[in-house]
Amino acid sequence: SYKDIEAQHMGGDRVPDLEGESKRALHHCPRSRHWAVRGPLGQTLALDTALLSEAIVVWTGKGRFNLPEENDDLVLMEYGPELGRALLPQIHLLWDEYWATYSSVDEAGIASDEQERDRMVDDEFRARHPWVTDEAVEAFGWAYSYDTYF
C-alpha cells in the first residue's frame, strides 16, 4: 500500500505532479524503498518499490495469460481504483523508458545479435532502476518482444 510521506523524508526535493510530459512523476527516495508521487488530491504519496514491481507484472499479464496484456484494468482490479490510479502512471513511465532503452541500444549498433541486445537493455534498465525486480524486468521484456515481433 502507500502512505503519506513527509518532506524531510524526501530530502526537501520537490515531487512533481502526475500531469505533463516534462514533469517526471517518479521520484526515488534513496533512503527508503519508496517512490514519491503527487496523489489525486495533491498529497505526496509513497509507493513501495516491491509493490510497483509486482504491479508491472500484473499489468503485463505475465504468469496469467499466454500473451502480454499491458492492461490498466488488470492493475485497477488487483489493487483497487485509488492505489491502481497511483501505480499506473509510474508503470507507464517505466514502460516508456524500457522502450526508449531498446531504441538507444539499437541506435548505438553495439549488440551483435538479438539476445545480446535484450541482455544489454535489461542491464541498462536495471542499472537505472536497481530496485525493479528481475520478474518485473522479465515481464517488460516479454511484453516488448511480443509487441515488436508480432
Side-chain angles (χ1 to χ4, degrees):
S1 149
Y2 60 87
K3 62 181 181 175
D4 288 322
I5 60 174
E6 300 173 359
Q8 72 259 22
H9 181 71
M10 294 298 301
D13 292 340
R14 181 182 177 279
V15 179
D17 295 327
L18 293 178
E19 298 175 15
E21 271 303 312
S22 63
K23 298 178 181 179
R24 297 295 295 187
L26 290 173
H27 180 84
H28 187 243
C29 305
R31 293 178 302 277
S32 73
R33 298 180 332 115
H34 293 90
W35 283 88
V37 298
R38 183 75 63 203
L41 302 176
Q43 74 276 34
T44 301
L45 305 173
L47 296 176
D48 184 275
T49 56
L51 178 71
L52 188 50
S53 284
E54 178 185 287
I56 288 168
V57 177
V58 169
W59 180 76
T60 64
K62 185 154 176 68
R64 295 181 182 196
F65 302 101
N66 292 329
L67 301 174
E69 288 288 316
E70 300 162 42
N71 188 333
D72 292 356
D73 289 337
L74 294 173
V75 174
L76 294 171
M77 287 186 296
E78 182 78 18
Y79 300 103
E82 188 176 7
L83 181 56
R85 283 193 300 271
L87 288 164
L88 285 169
Q90 314 324 310
I91 294 168
H92 294 160
L93 284 171
L94 289 168
W95 178 236
D96 290 347
E97 186 175 326
Y98 191 82
W99 269 80
T101 304
Y102 262 97
S103 295
S104 67
V105 169
D106 281 343
E107 288 172 8
I110 52 178
S112 60
D113 58 28
E114 288 178 10
Q115 282 110 357
E116 183 180 14
R117 181 197 64 187
D118 294 347
R119 184 190 50 74
M120 292 172 74
V121 167
D122 289 350
D123 290 348
E124 185 176 326
F125 187 80
R126 282 184 179 107
R128 279 186 267 140
H129 303 289
W131 57 269
V132 175
T133 63
D134 288 343
E135 186 180 21
V137 175
E138 289 169 14
F140 271 166
W142 177 65
Y144 178 87
S145 294
Y146 185 80
D147 285 353
T148 56
Y149 297 115
F150 299 102

